[in-house]
Amino acid sequence: MAPASLSAPHALSLLAPPRASSVGKSRGGLSVVPVGVRPVPAVSVAAVGTRRRLVAAAAATEMAPAASGEEGKAFVEEMRAVAMRLHTKDQAREGEKEPQAPPVAKWEPSVDGYLRFLVDSRLVFQKLEAVVDRASVPWYAEFRNTRLERSEALEKDLEWFRQQGHTIPEPSAPGTTYASYLEELSEKDPQAFICHFYNVYFAHTAGGRMIGKKVAEKILNKKELEFYKWEGNLSQLLQNVRNKLNQVASSWSREEKDHCLEETEKSFAYSGDLLRHIFT
């Protein structure tokens, strides 16, 4: 998938998670969230039915490799399959969306917009980390200290911008709204929360890195931020979390798994609102 083919409203379908074997490769990891879609509190019966069919089809597509017993498959592959269907066809073979905006290569980011994105992203990652540290649902504790955590790295990056003379903005509505939603889900709907946990962290290691590189080329003289660096082997860190996700989901009913998968579109929409800061 060539970077020039990635369109902005699906740019967090840029952020869709890669397969275990594709981390660090140029093709499988680049995925993008429908930026133009905002979460809505209610959906029609028809929409729910369509979403359930999408989830069922995606899950069925991925069950054959999962059944092979290969480590890191099973439910995580179902999650990835549903996410990939929110791509456009030029981004992924499984994509089903139509492109609606210019490619990433034509974005004209500003430092101010990028700072808003980083500040709101920090708030979201802080919330994810706080939830798993608190572990109001016992199995959240499985996801402590994965080494995918990003809030500390973002603190360092924002300090660097401050030292360059930039004013760091306060969090804005997309960040505060998403963080509040994650807090609510963490207490009332743990399966839905895990959907967001997976998509936020894994998407950042995929299309998120490509976006960071493109922005750095355009406005940061190619500086690589700490946000896009990990200690240790990233592929192995991701695999460790896949294994934990599969282990946790193994105790869920089929209905609970489907409910988790159905949250994917909202995950893309919230993340897309954050991403919009960069190109508007």
Side-chain angles (χ1 to χ4, degrees):
M1 174 176 58
S5 71
L6 299 172
S7 49
H10 305 291
L12 260 272
S13 65
L14 252 185
L15 300 184
R19 291 182 185 271
S21 60
S22 66
V23 175
K25 296 183 181 179
S26 60
R27 188 199 178 289
L30 300 182
S31 327
V32 213
V33 199
V35 174
V37 181
R38 290 181 178 272
V40 291
V43 293
S44 68
V45 172
V48 170
T50 299
R51 186 178 301 160
R52 287 186 180 275
R53 288 193 296 274
L54 169 69
V55 168
T61 299
E62 296 296 333
M63 285 312 290
S68 70
E70 182 178 343
E71 185 182 28
K73 297 290 186 180
F75 186 61
V76 168
E77 281 299 299
E78 295 187 46
M79 296 172 82
R80 179 187 178 278
V82 173
M84 293 303 290
R85 278 162 174 73
L86 294 177
H87 289 57
T88 60
K89 291 185 182 300
D90 59 350
Q91 294 160 1
R93 287 185 307 246
E94 306 98 316
E96 296 180 355
K97 297 290 185 178
E98 294 296 328
Q100 299 173 7
V104 171
K106 294 185 178 180
W107 290 4
E108 294 300 334
S110 67
V111 172
D112 287 345
Y114 195 45
L115 281 172
R116 290 194 295 273
F117 166 72
L118 294 176
V119 166
D120 279 4
S121 294
R122 176 184 59 176
L123 187 63
V124 169
F125 280 105
Q126 284 174 334
K127 178 57 65 177
L128 291 168
E129 292 165 25
V131 167
V132 299
D133 283 345
R134 185 172 68 243
S136 57
V137 175
W139 42 257
Y140 287 165
E142 295 292 329
F143 304 103
R144 293 172 179 161
N145 303 317
T146 63
R147 296 166 70 187
L148 296 181
E149 291 83 10
R150 296 288 85 200
S151 65
E152 231 177 86
L154 281 162
E155 289 284 0
K156 293 177 182 177
D157 288 332
L158 291 170
E159 179 57 29
W160 178 82
F161 277 101
R162 190 178 289 110
Q163 291 173 3
Q164 307 308 305
H166 297 286
T167 300
I168 307 304
E170 293 296 316
S172 60
T176 56
T177 300
Y178 194 12
S180 296
Y181 183 63
L182 290 171
E183 178 67 30
E184 179 183 351
L185 287 183
S186 72
E187 298 292 337
K188 299 179 180 178
D189 196 343
Q191 280 75 27
F193 173 79
I194 287 297
C195 177
H196 289 264
F197 179 92
Y198 165 78
N199 280 294
V200 169
Y201 278 109
F202 279 63
H204 179 62
T205 69
R209 286 194 292 171
M210 196 219 78
I211 291 173
K213 181 178 180 181
K214 289 294 182 185
V215 172
E217 289 173 353
K218 286 179 176 287
I219 63 175
L220 299 180
N221 197 27
K222 298 186 177 181
K223 175 181 172 58
E224 184 181 14
L225 297 182
E226 297 299 315
F227 192 27
Y228 306 101
K229 300 177 184 177
W230 289 263
E231 292 184 8
N233 183 298
L234 179 57
S235 180
Q236 186 58 55
L237 297 180
L238 291 169
Q239 187 59 51
N240 292 344
V241 176
R242 286 187 187 94
N243 293 341
K244 289 177 182 293
L245 286 165
N246 286 332
Q247 180 182 4
V248 165
S250 68
S251 66
W252 296 352
S253 67
R254 184 68 252 175
E255 182 179 5
E256 288 171 326
K257 290 178 179 178
D258 288 344
H259 178 64
C260 175
L261 297 175
E262 288 164 6
E263 189 72 12
T264 305
E265 192 168 358
K266 283 188 178 180
S267 172
F268 275 30
Y270 277 109
S271 295
D273 279 347
L274 269 62
L275 187 70
R276 190 182 292 106
H277 285 312
I278 300 177
F279 61 88
T280 58

